[in-house]
Amino acid sequence: VDRGEHVGGEELGDDHPDVAAALTNLGNLHYRQDRHEEALVCYECACTLDADQPEAHYNLANLLEEAGQLDLAISEYRKVLQLNEQFRDAHFNLALTLEQVGGRNQAILHWERYLELSGVEQTMLDDEDLQWVNLARTHLDRLRKEEEG
């Protein structure tokens, strides 16, 4: 979808500030229905229409990572963090992806930042968040041991 194209009978343009958010939501629906190609198109369009939307870049990065396009995924995760350095899940997924390409030192930094953003008071985390925190700690501990050894 480009500016000037029609969606739902309306032309896309600067006077439709919510189009990128709507495309991100549509991409999420496609993703949940395992229609990943359609989701990818929606996220790419959303990023084109509003380059400052971290959610669209994050979802695009996740799809790229799943497709094995790791360098592109890393680039998109970094865009997310440029837009919102406190986007905790982007640090988590970027660390995982960096590990896959051998970026151990950078992965360590993002694991540390993820844990920092998860908060010192981890008793406030629900069970699911606590599982993610424990997984991050496991990865971080392993990478640090590899670094020492």
Side-chain angles (χ1 to χ4, degrees):
V1 179
D2 293 318
R3 290 186 193 281
E5 288 193 29
H6 290 80
V7 173
E10 294 191 45
E11 184 176 329
L12 298 180
D14 293 329
D15 57 336
H16 292 286
D18 297 328
V19 172
L23 284 168
T24 299
N25 290 334
L26 181 59
N28 294 343
L29 290 172
H30 285 309
Y31 182 83
R32 279 182 238 139
Q33 296 171 349
D34 289 325
R35 296 169 54 189
H36 293 182
E37 285 298 318
E38 291 91 340
L40 184 71
V41 170
C42 288
Y43 297 143
E44 287 174 337
C45 290
C47 291
T48 299
L49 288 171
D50 184 359
D52 295 333
Q53 188 183 104
E55 294 81 11
H57 288 285
Y58 177 73
N59 293 340
L60 177 58
N62 289 339
L63 273 177
L64 292 168
E65 190 279 330
E66 288 177 21
Q69 298 180 41
L70 302 183
D71 290 337
L72 291 174
I74 288 169
S75 176
E76 289 299 319
Y77 287 130
R78 287 189 170 139
K79 286 178 189 175
V80 172
L81 295 172
Q82 286 174 352
L83 296 169
N84 179 0
E85 196 281 327
Q86 295 189 19
F87 200 123
R88 189 176 64 144
D89 291 344
H91 283 285
F92 187 100
N93 289 356
L94 178 55
L96 276 177
T97 308
L98 286 165
E99 279 188 51
Q100 292 180 64
V101 299
R104 178 177 50 220
N105 292 335
Q106 289 182 28
I108 287 172
L109 295 174
H110 289 285
W111 286 127
E112 290 172 341
R113 185 64 179 134
Y114 172 81
L115 291 170
E116 181 182 321
L117 290 170
S118 294
V120 177
E121 191 60 47
Q122 293 180 2
T123 57
M124 303 297 288
L125 297 175
D126 63 26
D127 288 342
E128 184 178 351
D129 280 339
L130 196 53
Q131 288 177 342
W132 292 114
V133 165
N134 289 334
L135 181 60
R137 278 194 190 121
T138 300
H139 278 266
L140 182 58
D141 290 346
R142 182 182 47 76
L143 289 174
R144 285 180 174 157
K145 285 178 184 171
E146 288 175 5
E147 195 174 46
E148 292 170 2

